[in-house]
Amino acid sequence: MFKDTKAFSGFSVDDIPRAKQFYGETLGLNVTEEHGMLMLHLAGGATVLAYPKGNHEPASFTILNFPVPDVEEAVDRLTEAGVPFEHYEGDIGTDEKGIFRGEGPTIAWFRDPAGNILSVLDQ
């Protein structure tokens, strides 16, 4: 039934102008705004919707993962742009930069201005 439909994902934010600045300028994504909502245009043609929600609560899981050739470099560049990284202990313990280097891909988590969790990880 949906095999040929161009499905897309979405998530809420509490401030569309701040989200537009973050996703467009800080992360460098192609962002368009329509009807008070943002469309994040990702490589490969995928689109993700960011919509305003008055009683927004940040997602408790990673909503977007950005594969990069060098996680350390991506973390350094985002840190320079003022993006703080999450620090975890235990099974997903991160180093001083916020990078997990255990089993699985090297990955680092950070949040958008609305508190939603994003990541950069090895391609």
Side-chain angles (χ1 to χ4, degrees):
M1 175 190 235
F2 298 120
K3 178 181 163 207
D4 295 320
T5 188
K6 293 187 180 196
F8 62 92
S9 165
F11 60 89
S12 69
V13 296
D14 56 357
D15 185 324
I16 289 292
R18 272 188 11 193
K20 186 175 186 179
Q21 183 278 327
F22 179 77
Y23 285 99
E25 295 175 26
T26 304
L27 299 187
L29 298 178
N30 181 10
V31 178
T32 57
E33 187 173 351
E34 297 177 34
H35 310 291
M37 297 181 283
L38 301 179
M39 299 301 284
L40 311 178
H41 304 279
L42 307 177
T47 302
V48 176
L49 173 70
Y51 57 91
K53 186 175 178 190
N55 62 346
H56 165 76
E57 290 188 28
S60 61
F61 53 89
T62 308
I63 62 165
L64 280 174
N65 297 285
F66 295 98
V68 295
D70 185 332
V71 171
E72 184 114 19
E73 179 184 339
V75 167
D76 289 345
R77 290 180 65 194
L78 286 168
T79 299
E80 288 173 12
V83 176
F85 280 80
E86 298 293 296
H87 292 273
Y88 299 111
E89 295 184 13
D91 290 343
I92 59 168
T94 55
D95 66 15
E96 65 282 347
K97 287 187 171 187
I99 301 172
F100 171 74
R101 303 172 195 272
E103 277 189 46
T106 301
I107 186 169
W109 295 273
F110 59 102
R111 293 180 184 265
D112 73 3
N116 296 308
I117 302 169
L118 314 171
S119 83
V120 289
L121 72 155
D122 274 336
Q123 281 182 320

